């Protein structure tokens, strides 16, 4: 995995493999869910914008990541999404 970012100086989209690799220790885990990460893999959402997002009523600020569970409610601006496996 990696991240694509817009380079304003060269006016092109630049792909950076493993640009901001977050370690498992840095991940926030929802307080109302299991504290252990699933052994078969998991999904994570990272807040890249200036405005925070909410996952299961928990704030995720810029640069933070949080583990998603099936049924997690994700609020981005005025949009409400439900993450379902």
């Amino acid at each position: 995995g990696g991240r694509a970012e817009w380079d304003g100086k060269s006016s092109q989209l630049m792909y950076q493999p493993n640009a901001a690799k977050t370690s498992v220790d840095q991940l926030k885990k929802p307080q109302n869910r299991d504290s252990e990460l699933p052994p078969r893999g998991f999904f994570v959402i990272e807040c890249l914008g200036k405005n925070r997002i909410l996952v299961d009523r928990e704030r995720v600020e810029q640069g933070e990541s949080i583990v998603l569970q099936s049924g997690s409610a994700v609020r981005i601006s005025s949009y409400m999404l439900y993450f379902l496996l």
Side-chain angles (χ1 to χ4, degrees):
R3 179 179 296 161
E5 294 181 354
W6 181 257
D7 184 6
K9 292 179 183 176
S10 64
S11 297
Q12 58 183 339
L13 192 63
M14 305 296 290
Y15 177 75
Q16 298 176 351
N18 299 324
K21 196 168 187 175
T22 303
S23 73
V24 174
D25 297 332
Q26 294 173 316
L27 294 175
K28 289 177 71 176
K29 296 158 187 96
Q31 294 176 355
N32 60 345
R33 303 289 176 111
D34 296 333
S35 61
E36 295 296 319
L37 294 174
R40 296 186 321 171
F42 51 91
F43 291 91
V44 173
I45 189 168
E46 180 180 2
C47 182
L48 299 175
K50 293 179 183 177
N51 298 323
R52 69 177 184 264
I53 59 176
L54 296 173
V55 176
D56 294 329
R57 297 185 182 178
E58 187 173 339
R59 289 181 181 194
V60 181
E61 302 291 341
Q62 184 178 20
E64 292 182 337
S65 300
I66 191 167
V67 176
L68 295 174
Q69 304 286 332
S70 184
S72 289
V74 179
R75 179 176 291 276
I76 303 172
S77 183
S78 60
Y79 299 98
M80 182 67 115
L81 309 166
Y82 293 95
F83 180 75
L84 302 174
L85 292 177

